[in-house]
RNA sequence: GCGGACGUGGCGAAAUGGUAGACGCAAGGGACUUAAAAUCCCUCGGGGAGAAAUCCCUGUGCCGGUUCGAGUCCGGCCGUCCGCACCA
């Protein structure tokens, strides 16, 4: 009654069309059922989807389909993170307009995503480059500006002098621009910044509430925010030694306990005092200039020598007015942490020790490890940062570090004779404000106008969106918006005078910081969100994406949601209640004789197990099989999803992505594995066909009683159902797959046994109760694999005679009574070692179980006639006899 | 340097502190076939006893600890991977 082979190619397109025509994945905002919002990180429209997308979206789709079957109103949208550099690069290299390039890519990728059979609500599709989207982003920028969550600041930036643009840190490679190869300069520029640091403490504290986030991500964010507690201390300066009579220098320290070990002070090269001193000291000016040109590359920082320049300025120790410390400018002090100045305690800080050893300033240990004689405790090359007792520290001597810190803080923060206290306690964060200005065309325009008279003037709301001009050229370096002949020339909204548009655009991370809120109502034109709707849908119940976004995207989104709350666009703090970070897709690499990489599609692999060898298809040259690495264009070890879907079908790609490895770990894409998935899909098809045949003319109503064979079948089905249901909830997709295999194997065996024992295949009809149980079993089987292989499931569902779609069928109910055994078999241990097992009635009392266990030969032997010391019975689990 | 994760068969992996290795891949053996593919059946951590059913010993990177019982919890090593990093 069903064909021998399931033809994925034909069936998948057919079912996709049916889902599409019936609009079954479009979600209604007024649906009264409980909501569930599942979201995968939206893609950048690079032009083609890759296997990482397939893995990501398959996981989300499984969750969406299961939650839908469980009766929830599921929101599962898709969109495009559509602004960004690659579109401009394409424009420069291939003379296509970024907009045309982007929309072509979107069309191509949308087609690919549709071929995957994802249950997405495409009616909510968003592209961040669409003015209907960024209009609202501009509105929120203005609201943030009003709330002082956006400010204009002078900032040090990486400037590429050839491309004439600011580069992100990631775009600076070995001190050079990644595109131009030009030496990057540190420049001070006016930048728009989002005041994320206003939320530093809240962003840190609230991490504890995100109990459905990976611990790893929370920790990474915690470290990134980098809270540290310490003391701000004002050192008086010897005025006679300062350039323009400055009288104090403020430093930040987390180790005020080591104040008596101080040997020098150090300033960042761009510290105001350093700048002032340099004006009168050309040698110092030259030193500072040199520091600015030093590379920011990791390798250079690692090997960079600690260098300093003595300014001649003297600072006075806060506890001893006769104790003067030399003030250096040093290359390892950062202006943007603390106050950009430190006191150096070489004995207990490795950097300070390296510094004094170079300049011969010496060191005095002030913390002595326990068990060490202070008289013999000396520091030479290795600073001591461990615990201990204070020494060489006057009134601190003998105290612990904690006590000494407290004592110093207490003494210095006291009001001294009506003057400002010398010190105050301060909490510092590593987190910096988020600079969002980019000198680029293909981004969201920043909606402000610079007026010669009025200064910075926000674009009036009625004039939003500020749209990008389309007639731009990419034939020279710099920002095309800035080069545009007319776009930036406007009149001031306040005074009507001559004014200039802001030509910087926003960092694309802004676009992705609120798209999940926009998805809840992408149609509203008057505001970024509809408060009723967004508050109902948010937070996202399950967010799924790559670990590479652990910090930036996720932290920015957490900030943005708080800022939106403050400006009345949503009423919550945390946008993502559940977060899952999936592993990468990896593949073997193949190397040619000449050292070039070969693509999987270009080679042929022969042999098996340990004796596999590869040759190049075109020439037959031998190929070296290399390491298994992340799929990447450079290593050419990619597999195109289109090819897989074309030859095996989307279901196979989806199934294999879920089956082989736990979702958080890397999965290796192998041809063998894909073929295994394909074989199993065909096996399922046959199995459902056989099951359908057996269950023909099964009774409509549930039989009152079941034969042992039917009961066995039902038990296998409900056990699988219970297991898969539980493991899907935990996102253990690989374990779900295993349970489905197990169930299919069991079903196969049952059908096989029928053929031999009952002769059913020879014509002896199975009993009605068995036919009913078989129908139930195959229905459950199809529903269990439906989330992973939805097309095959629809085909099977139809073959089973259902009128509706399996995509709309309710998740089956587990009959827990079936999972309860009448007898149970308990392993019996002697002193924790398994010695046998006993089978007892399910409701057997502990006395009966103990008696049965003690009766075992192995236990008797171990006891050697003596009574056991103790017998531990864990109900339903195990018996342990302690001898 | 700081922080974290992980380490289980030939491979990917399972295992609320309770029978380690479910499930898959690979491999070996067999059935069917003129043959191949497909399909089906059996074996599959290591070692040993037995004609066989089966049984015994051993085993989750190494060393210790907690516990009646540890792959799982704790401490210390070794190895691999990841994040951050002149952050005072």
């Amino acid at each position: 009654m069903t064909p021998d082979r399931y033809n994925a190619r034909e069936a998948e397109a057919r079912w996709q069309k049916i889902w599409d025509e019936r609009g079954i994945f479009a979600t209604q905002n007024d649906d009264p059922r409980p909501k569930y919002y599942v979201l995968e990180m939206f893609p950048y429209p690079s032009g083609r989807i890759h296997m990482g997308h397939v893995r990501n979206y398959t996981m989300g789709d499984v969750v969406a389909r299961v939650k839908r079957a469980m009766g929830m109103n599921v929101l599962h949208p898709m969109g495009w993170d559509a602004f960004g550099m690659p579109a401009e690069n394409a424009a420069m290299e291939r003379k296509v307009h970024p907009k045309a390039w982007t929309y072509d890519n979107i069309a191509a990728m949308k087609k690919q995503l549709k071929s995957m059979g994802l249950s997405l609500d495409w009616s909510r599709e968003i592209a961040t480059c669409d003015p209907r989207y960024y209009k609202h982003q501009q509105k929120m920028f203005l609201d943030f500006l009003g709330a002082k969550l956006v400010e204009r600041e002078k900032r040090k930036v990486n400037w590429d002098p050839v491309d004439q643009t600011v580069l992100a840190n990631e775009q600076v490679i070995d001190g050079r621009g990644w595109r131009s190869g030009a030496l990057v300069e540190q420049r001070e520029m006016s930048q728009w910044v989002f005041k994320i640091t206003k939320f530093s403490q809240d962003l840190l504290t609230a991490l504890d509430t995100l109990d459905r986030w990976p611990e790893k991500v929370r920790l990474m964010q915690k470290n990134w925010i980098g809270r540290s507690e310490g003391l701000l201390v004002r050192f008086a300066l010897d005025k006679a030694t300062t350039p323009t009579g400055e009288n104090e220098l403020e430093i930040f320290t987390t180790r005020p306990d080591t104040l008596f070990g101080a040997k020098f002070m150090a300033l960042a090269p761009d510290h105001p005092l350093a700048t002032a001193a340099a004006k009168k000291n050309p040698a110092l000016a030259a030193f500072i200039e040199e520091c600015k040109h030093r590379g920011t590359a990791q390798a250079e920082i690692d090997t960079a020598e600690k260098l300093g320049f003595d300014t001649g300025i003297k600072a006075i120790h806060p506890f001893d007015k006769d104790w003067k410390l030399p003030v250096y400018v040093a290359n390892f002090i950062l202006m943007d942490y603390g106050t950009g100045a430190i006191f150096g305690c070489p004995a207990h800080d490795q950097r300070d020790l390296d510094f004094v050893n170079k300049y011969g300033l010496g060191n005095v240990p002030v913390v002595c490890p326990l068990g060490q004689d202070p008289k013999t405790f000396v520091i030479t090359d290795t600073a001591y940062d461990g615990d201990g007792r204070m020494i060489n520290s006057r009134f601190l001597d003998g105290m612990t570090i904690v006590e000494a810190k407290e004592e110093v803080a207490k003494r210095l923060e006291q009001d001294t004779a009506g003057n400002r206290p010398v010190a105050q306690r301060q909490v510092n964060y590593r987190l910096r404000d988020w600079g969002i200005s980019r000198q680029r065309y293909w981004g969201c325009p920043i909606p402000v106008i610079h007026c010669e008279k009025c200064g910075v003037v926000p674009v009036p709301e009625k004039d939003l969106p500020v749209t990008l001009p389309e007639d731009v050229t990419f034939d020279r370096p710099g920002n095309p918006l800035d080069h545009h002949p007319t776009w930036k020339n406007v009149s001031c909204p306040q005074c009507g005078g001559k004014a200039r548009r802001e030509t910087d655009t926003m960092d694309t991370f802004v676009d992705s910081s609120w798209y999940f809120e926009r998805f809840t109502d992408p149609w509203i034109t008057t505001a970024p969100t509809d408060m009723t709707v967004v508050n109902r849908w948010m937070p996202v119940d399950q967010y799924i994406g790559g670990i590479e976004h652990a910090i930036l995207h996720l932290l920015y989104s957490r900030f943005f949601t708080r800022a939106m709350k403050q400006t009345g666009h949503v009423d919550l703090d945390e946008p993502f209640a559940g977060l899952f970070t999936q592993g990468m897709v990896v593949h073997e690499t193949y190397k040619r004789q000449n050292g070039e990489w070969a693509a999987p599609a270009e080679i042929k692999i022969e042999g098996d197990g340990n004796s596999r060898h590869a040759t190049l298809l075109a020439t037959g040259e031998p190929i070296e099989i290399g390491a298994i690495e992340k799929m990447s264009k450079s290593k050419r070890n990619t597999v195109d999803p289109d090819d897989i879907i074309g030859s095996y079908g989307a279901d196979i790609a989806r199934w294999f992505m879920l089956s082989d490895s736990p979702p958080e770990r890397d999965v290796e894409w192998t041809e063998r594995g894909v073929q295994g998935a394909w074989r199993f899909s065909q096996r399922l098809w046959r199995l459902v066909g056989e099951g359908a045949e057996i269950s023909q003319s099964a009774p409509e109503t549930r039989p009152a009683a079941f034969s042992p064979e039917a009961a066995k079948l039902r038990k296998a089905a409900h056990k699988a159902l219970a297991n898969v249901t539980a493991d899907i909830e935990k996102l253990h997709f690989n374990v779900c797959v295993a349970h489905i295999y197990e169930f299919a194997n069991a079903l196969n065996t049952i059908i096989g046994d029928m053929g031999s024992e009952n002769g059913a295949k020879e014509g002896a009809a199975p009993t009605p109760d068995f036919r009913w149980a078989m129908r139930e079993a195959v229905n459950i089987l199809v529903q269990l694999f439906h989330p992973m292989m939805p097309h095959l499931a629809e085909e099977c569902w139809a073959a089973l005679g259902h009128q509706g779609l399996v995509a709309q069928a309710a998740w089956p109910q587990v009959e827990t009574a079936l999972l309860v055994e009448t007898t149970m078999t308990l392993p019996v241990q002697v002193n924790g070692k398994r010695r046998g097992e006993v089978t007892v009635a399910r409701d057997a009392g502990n006395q009966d179980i103990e008696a049965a266990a003690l009766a075992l030969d192995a236990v008797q032997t171990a006891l050697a006639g003596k009574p056991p010391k103790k017998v531990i019975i864990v109900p339903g689990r195990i018996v342990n006899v302690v001898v």
Side-chain angles (χ1 to χ4, degrees):
Chain A
M1 65 176 272
T2 51
D4 288 350
R5 282 285 179 96
Y6 165 68
N7 181 352
R9 220 175 155 65
E10 179 275 327
E12 290 190 348
R14 179 157 40 82
W15 288 111
Q16 283 160 18
K17 189 157 169 266
I18 290 171
W19 295 330
D20 216 25
E21 282 168 359
R22 301 195 193 171
I24 60 169
F25 302 129
T27 302
Q28 305 306 316
N29 280 344
D30 55 4
D31 189 312
R33 295 173 301 170
K35 70 98 180 180
Y36 193 90
Y37 189 175
V38 55
L39 184 69
E40 301 95 59
M41 291 178 185
F42 69 163
Y44 177 79
S46 58
R48 317 248 344 134
I49 64 167
H50 52 68
M51 281 298 175
H53 291 125
V54 173
R55 194 176 193 200
N56 191 182
Y57 302 144
T58 300
M59 289 179 193
D61 200 46
V62 169
V63 174
R65 285 176 180 269
V66 170
K67 293 292 174 184
R68 208 176 280 122
M70 287 176 169
M72 304 186 91
N73 185 30
V74 171
L75 178 56
H76 187 213
M78 182 55 72
W80 311 97
D81 190 11
F83 273 136
M85 280 285 290
E88 281 185 71
N89 294 337
M92 285 181 263
E93 286 157 17
R94 287 186 263 152
K95 312 267 179 271
V96 283
H97 195 280
K99 182 176 172 183
W101 183 84
T102 302
Y103 278 98
D104 282 353
N105 286 349
I106 287 176
M109 288 176 76
K110 187 170 176 182
K111 196 173 160 225
Q112 288 187 297
L113 289 184
K114 288 213 164 191
S115 77
M116 281 184 63
L118 303 167
S119 65
L120 291 163
D121 180 356
W122 282 105
S123 73
R124 294 170 189 255
E125 182 180 359
I126 287 170
T128 57
C129 64
D130 188 331
R132 288 170 298 180
Y133 179 78
Y134 69 67
K135 168 186 173 176
H136 304 291
Q137 192 163 300
Q138 292 173 339
K139 155 75 174 152
M140 286 192 286
F141 178 94
L142 295 177
D143 288 350
F144 292 1
L145 190 62
K148 300 227 183 300
L149 293 170
V150 173
E151 284 175 6
R152 199 159 164 77
E153 269 180 15
K154 280 232 176 232
R155 278 206 157 197
K156 246 192 333 194
V157 294
N158 304 308
W159 179 258
D160 184 323
V162 171
D163 276 357
Q164 295 189 24
T165 186
V166 167
L167 298 177
N169 285 333
E170 306 76 55
Q171 294 167 339
V172 181
I173 297 156
D174 292 334
R176 293 173 179 273
W178 69 283
R179 251 184 69 82
S180 68
L183 271 177
V184 168
E185 297 167 12
Q186 301 286 305
R187 269 208 191 180
E188 283 260 311
M189 285 183 67
S190 280
Q191 295 269 295
W192 288 103
V193 298
F194 280 0
K195 300 296 288 180
I196 188 170
T197 55
K198 285 197 174 179
F199 297 95
S200 294
Q201 187 58 54
D202 185 38
L203 287 167
L204 181 67
T205 313
L207 284 173
D208 291 337
T209 67
L210 300 174
D211 56 342
R212 290 206 298 118
W213 278 42
E215 187 58 39
K216 179 188 168 78
V217 175
R218 290 194 282 170
L219 195 72
M220 281 165 75
Q221 293 213 352
K222 187 182 166 194
N223 291 338
W224 187 263
I225 294 167
R227 180 189 151 105
S228 61
E229 290 180 22
L231 209 59
L232 277 177
V233 185
R234 291 186 300 124
F235 280 65
L237 293 176
D238 179 352
K239 271 201 218 179
T241 64
T242 62
T244 50
E246 289 85 353
N247 53 21
E248 64 180 45
L249 173 63
E250 192 168 45
I251 61 98
F252 175 72
T253 179
T254 56
R255 293 297 300 275
D257 54 307
T258 63
L259 217 47
F260 288 104
K263 277 288 172 187
F264 65 97
M265 313 291 291
L267 308 172
D270 41 353
H271 191 281
L273 186 58
T275 312
K279 280 186 183 144
K280 297 186 175 174
N281 187 339
L284 175 57
F287 175 78
I288 290 172
E289 197 53 36
E290 198 196 317
C291 288
K292 283 188 182 170
H293 283 291
R294 283 193 104 66
T296 48
Q298 202 50 59
E300 291 178 68
I301 290 173
D302 285 344
T303 55
E305 207 179 351
K306 305 279 173 283
L307 294 176
F309 191 100
D310 190 348
T311 60
I313 302 169
K314 300 288 179 198
I316 298 161
H317 196 281
F319 286 121
D320 184 344
K321 63 181 181 351
D322 297 324
W323 184 349
K324 298 202 174 150
L325 294 154
V327 178
Y328 280 74
V329 172
N331 64 350
F332 61 98
I333 307 301
L334 305 173
M335 190 58 220
D336 54 7
Y337 186 80
T339 62
I342 61 148
F343 82 87
C345 176
H348 306 289
D349 184 295
Q350 192 60 49
R351 290 159 305 173
D352 296 349
L353 186 63
D354 293 345
F355 189 77
V356 294
N357 285 347
K358 180 168 173 68
Y359 293 101
L361 300 173
N363 76 76
V364 177
V366 291
V367 179
C368 183
L370 290 177
Q372 173 89 40
D373 182 357
K375 290 189 196 94
T376 62
F377 184 53
V378 284
I379 299 285
T380 51
D381 294 331
T382 310
Y384 177 71
D385 59 3
D387 215 347
R389 295 274 176 175
M390 305 309 299
I391 55 171
N392 303 324
S393 294
R394 305 185 192 183
F395 54 85
L396 300 177
D397 282 351
M399 290 185 185
T400 63
I401 291 176
V402 174
E403 288 163 355
K405 278 182 181 171
E406 182 57 29
E407 182 63 24
V408 169
K410 234 190 252 170
R411 290 193 183 216
L412 291 184
E413 71 190 350
Q414 267 162 19
D415 198 356
T416 46
N419 294 320
R420 268 169 61 211
V422 172
Q424 70 183 82
R425 294 172 208 247
Q426 205 200 31
V427 174
N428 243 311
Y429 299 91
R430 215 186 62 101
L431 184 65
R432 303 268 74 89
D433 279 325
W434 172 19
I436 60 148
S437 293
R438 298 289 182 271
Q439 292 67 43
R440 302 249 58 101
Y441 165 73
W442 196 232
C444 172
I446 293 172
V448 297
I449 288 166
H450 299 276
C451 171
E452 283 164 21
K453 279 191 220 143
C454 314
V456 171
V457 181
V459 171
E461 231 182 285
K462 65 171 174 52
D463 295 339
L464 296 184
V466 176
T467 53
L468 290 167
E470 301 214 2
D471 53 335
V472 282
T473 53
F474 297 89
D475 51 0
R476 54 183 164 145
N479 183 355
L481 285 179
D482 204 32
H483 301 155
H484 192 278
T486 55
W487 185 77
K488 66 182 173 186
N489 301 322
V490 286
S491 50
C492 172
Q494 261 171 34
C495 70
K498 206 175 145 195
R500 184 181 65 80
R501 263 192 208 293
E502 172 67 67
T503 55
D504 285 354
T505 52
M506 293 185 209
D507 180 3
T508 56
F509 273 109
V510 179
D511 312 335
S512 56
S513 290
W514 71 285
Y515 75 105
F516 38 88
E517 269 124 0
R518 183 67 187 172
F519 271 141
T520 63
D521 186 350
W523 304 283
I524 183 169
T525 57
T526 52
T529 57
D530 179 311
M531 278 292 263
T532 316
V533 174
V534 72
N535 290 336
R536 170 151 188 252
W537 279 114
M538 291 297 289
V540 175
D541 295 277
Q542 187 63 61
Y543 196 34
I544 307 175
I547 187 72
E548 67 273 19
H549 293 112
I551 296 172
L552 295 184
H553 164 59
L554 291 167
L555 193 60
Y556 292 155
S557 298
R558 296 180 62 216
F559 156 74
F560 213 89
T561 298
R562 283 165 168 77
M564 282 173 72
K565 181 185 180 185
Q566 201 170 311
T567 49
H569 296 295
V570 70
D571 191 21
L572 89 160
D573 292 321
E574 290 297 340
F576 311 121
L579 172 70
F580 188 85
T581 51
Q582 101 260 6
M584 297 181 301
V585 182
V586 296
H587 196 284
E588 273 179 342
T589 49
Y590 307 107
K591 210 170 207 171
R592 296 184 53 178
Q593 307 279 291
N594 61 8
E596 285 172 12
W597 301 102
E602 295 170 348
I603 60 152
K604 182 170 71 174
I605 293 183
E606 284 163 315
D608 38 44
N610 300 326
S611 65
R612 299 166 67 241
H613 50 94
T615 48
L616 197 69
L617 277 172
T619 63
E621 89 175 59
I623 296 286
E624 185 193 332
I625 299 180
I628 298 163
E629 297 191 53
K630 178 183 181 175
M631 281 190 181
S632 72
K633 278 184 189 151
S634 58
K635 296 269 167 66
R636 304 198 65 218
N637 61 339
T638 56
V639 172
D640 189 341
D642 265 4
D643 293 344
I644 300 300
I645 292 171
S647 45
Y648 292 98
D651 285 342
I652 302 307
R654 295 169 59 120
W655 181 261
F656 179 57
M657 272 304 180
L658 300 171
S659 63
D660 247 29
S661 293
E664 68 279 8
R665 240 178 272 179
D666 292 350
V667 65
E668 189 195 349
W669 184 272
T670 63
E671 187 61 23
R672 295 186 300 277
V674 178
Q675 279 171 3
W678 187 81
R679 279 200 302 272
F680 185 61
S681 73
Q682 294 296 339
R683 212 177 123 204
L684 284 173
W685 173 243
R686 286 193 303 272
L687 203 52
V688 169
E690 289 172 34
E693 208 162 322
I694 292 164
S695 61
Q696 259 183 356
S697 68
E700 282 309 310
T701 52
R702 177 195 164 117
F706 290 96
S707 65
E709 291 76 29
K712 193 176 155 199
L713 179 55
R714 298 200 66 213
K715 199 173 136 182
H718 282 266
K719 201 175 124 197
L721 173 60
N723 285 336
V724 171
T725 307
D727 278 316
I728 289 235
E729 203 65 41
K730 290 183 271 186
L731 308 181
H732 292 175
F733 304 117
N734 58 323
V735 186
C736 291
V737 164
H739 290 314
I740 292 170
Y741 265 106
E742 216 172 354
F743 180 31
N745 291 344
L747 200 53
N748 206 43
T749 305
I750 289 168
I751 291 174
D753 287 351
M754 264 180 64
S756 55
E757 287 171 22
N758 304 348
K761 279 179 183 166
E762 276 71 49
T767 56
D769 65 311
F770 188 86
R771 290 203 301 268
W772 191 92
M774 181 58 76
R775 192 178 60 194
E776 182 192 37
V778 284
N779 278 342
I780 287 176
L781 177 66
V782 172
Q783 288 206 260
L784 289 185
F785 70 76
H786 152 252
M788 294 94 166
M789 298 197 278
H791 311 87
L792 176 63
E794 291 292 5
E795 195 76 358
C796 289
W797 198 246
L800 288 169
H802 293 281
Q803 294 304 307
L805 297 168
V806 69
Q808 291 183 295
W811 197 249
Q813 289 284 322
V814 183
E815 280 186 36
T816 45
L818 284 172
L819 306 182
V820 178
E821 310 270 359
T822 52
T823 62
M824 56 185 179
T825 300
L826 298 178
V828 177
Q829 297 179 333
V830 176
N831 291 340
K833 270 191 175 299
R834 186 181 181 279
R835 293 295 172 196
E837 56 187 34
V838 289
T839 300
V840 294
R842 154 129 212 113
D843 51 359
N846 281 1
Q847 282 183 349
D848 296 339
I849 296 171
E850 183 173 332
L854 292 178
L856 287 176
D857 286 348
V859 176
Q860 283 301 317
T861 312
L863 285 172
K866 285 174 277 185
K869 276 190 194 148
K870 200 173 5 166
V871 177
I872 292 157
I873 297 172
V874 183
R877 275 284 181 195
I878 204 165
V879 182
N880 192 11
V881 181
V882 185
V883 181

